[in-house]
Amino acid sequence: MVKPVRTPGPHGFNDKASPNDGALYRDELRQLHIELKKRLRARAISNWALKFFATDPDIPQIAKALSTKVDSALLAVNRFVESCQAGSIFDLTNWVPGMNFRTVIDHATDMYLKRSRTDWLITYRIPRAVAVATQAVEDKRGKCEEHAFLAIYLLTIGHMIQNMPFGRLKNDIYFTGAATPKHAMVILVKGAEFRDAILGSTIGTGKIDLEWLRRNPRQWGSSAWIVDGWDTDNVGKLTTQKIDLDYGKSLRFRRAENSGGVSKWDVTLQQMVNRVVEDYRISDYLDSKKFGRF
């Protein structure tokens, strides 16, 4: 198997882009500061992320720290612990009048999406994650899906404070949202290992097979970890678990869930593949535009 010669090194790509934390994302961070206003809980967890990711942590530290921090942030205001721990990615309380805990989050997501008109707005990238960060930590709502979106929000703060491109962190880290039929999570991978998985998916066809990657997450590398909550046993290396990733429910992590389109701001497996393909110049060796069905 021929491998691309370009590698990110110990700190990932663009590690020399700026010596100042967050210098490349000054406008986005300023807009985030304005967005949070007097939301003290949201501001507290955002400030934690700024300090945490400024230390350039590696995958195990990120997975453990985010899982714990997101749990504490959501459970601190959630009296409905049993619904918070429910495995379903969908809100099981919709059938009870007035008990849909996601109504406010859905409204905020739509508001952020419609209001975003310029590229520099942080809500232009991740409207639902921002909605979860500003709403779910202030009220009595939150389950596995909110845990995942809040983790994505914090990871996005991480890429900005580290001056990294969207979807990447230093130490050659890439992240994606993912879901099984009944659970949502975030997965962190090493670019070099995920590159090998991408190339492995091309065997026999010569093109990248997203369906193969979805069916074989254990091939994503020994450094692939899950960011998860509620049960700390679920936080660990991907290779230690059997995960059946669901195509449809994983699309919840698109920038705009109901758009039906693909965006570079999606936090999905397809876009994580695209980022690694771009960074490692895999297209120099393969016709990377011919994806198999995910």
Side-chain angles (χ1 to χ4, degrees):
M1 180 182 300
V2 179
K3 297 181 181 179
V5 296
R6 187 186 185 200
T7 58
H11 300 293
F13 291 117
N14 291 353
D15 57 340
K16 297 181 180 179
S18 173
N20 301 317
D21 291 343
L24 298 182
Y25 297 93
R26 188 174 292 109
D27 288 340
E28 289 89 340
L29 291 170
R30 183 186 299 113
Q31 192 263 336
L32 176 61
H33 173 75
I34 296 171
E35 199 69 56
L36 293 177
K37 297 179 181 178
K38 296 182 179 180
R39 300 181 183 276
L40 299 183
R41 291 183 183 275
R43 187 173 295 280
I45 196 170
S46 301
N47 288 339
W48 173 85
L50 289 170
K51 295 179 181 178
F52 174 71
F53 285 104
T55 65
D56 299 346
D58 212 337
I59 285 181
Q61 292 74 37
I62 296 173
K64 294 176 181 179
L66 257 62
S67 298
T68 301
K69 194 67 178 181
V70 171
D71 268 2
S72 63
L74 292 179
L75 290 172
V77 293
N78 200 317
R79 292 179 300 180
F80 302 95
V81 177
E82 68 278 4
S83 70
C84 203
Q85 293 175 324
S88 176
I89 193 172
F90 298 111
D91 196 336
L92 299 180
T93 61
N94 285 345
W95 61 276
V96 181
M99 288 288 284
N100 186 344
F101 299 131
R102 292 199 171 113
T103 298
V104 177
I105 293 174
D106 291 341
H107 175 74
T109 300
D110 292 339
M111 178 186 69
Y112 290 143
L113 188 61
K114 292 175 182 177
R115 194 177 67 188
S116 302
R117 291 294 182 268
T118 56
D119 289 358
W120 66 268
L121 284 172
I122 189 173
T123 50
Y124 178 82
R125 296 186 174 89
I126 49 169
R128 188 165 190 84
V130 174
V132 168
T134 57
Q135 302 293 330
V137 298
E138 300 285 352
D139 206 341
K140 304 170 184 65
R141 58 175 58 82
K143 300 196 308 181
C144 62
E145 188 177 349
E146 277 69 49
H147 185 285
F149 274 105
L150 185 53
I152 288 172
Y153 167 80
L154 297 175
L155 287 163
T156 303
I157 291 180
H159 96 79
M160 290 191 295
I161 201 64
Q162 293 184 1
N163 295 311
M164 294 295 291
F166 185 80
R168 298 113 160 142
L169 296 171
K170 288 186 177 180
N171 295 312
D172 192 28
I173 298 171
Y174 295 74
F175 56 87
T176 185
T180 67
K182 294 185 178 181
H183 193 56
M185 68 196 76
V186 174
I187 299 175
L188 307 169
V189 302
K190 287 286 190 179
E193 291 183 343
F194 196 66
R195 170 202 61 194
D196 291 344
I198 292 173
L199 293 173
S201 78
T202 69
I203 296 176
T205 64
K207 64 181 181 180
I208 296 171
D209 188 344
L210 284 170
E211 175 65 20
W212 185 91
L213 288 168
R214 182 181 70 82
R215 294 195 316 266
N216 295 277
R218 290 189 179 188
Q219 303 299 318
W220 294 6
S222 61
S223 298
W225 279 61
I226 295 171
V227 176
D228 203 353
W230 323 133
D231 180 357
T232 55
D233 291 339
N234 285 336
V235 181
K237 292 183 179 180
L238 184 65
T239 51
T240 66
Q241 302 188 37
K242 185 179 185 300
I243 299 176
D244 179 21
L245 296 182
D246 185 281
Y247 165 70
K249 291 184 172 62
S250 293
L251 292 181
R252 288 282 285 172
F253 296 97
R254 291 182 298 189
R255 172 181 176 264
E257 178 193 357
N258 298 322
S259 68
V262 176
S263 168
K264 65 179 181 180
W265 308 118
D266 292 345
V267 190
T268 59
L269 174 59
Q270 177 177 345
Q271 288 300 3
M272 188 167 73
V273 170
N274 290 343
R275 289 165 191 139
V276 174
V277 166
E278 176 185 356
D279 292 346
Y280 279 89
R281 296 181 178 175
I282 293 177
S283 58
D284 291 350
Y285 297 84
L286 300 169
D287 184 359
S288 62
K289 295 182 180 179
K290 295 181 179 179
F291 290 106
R293 183 183 180 278
F294 174 26

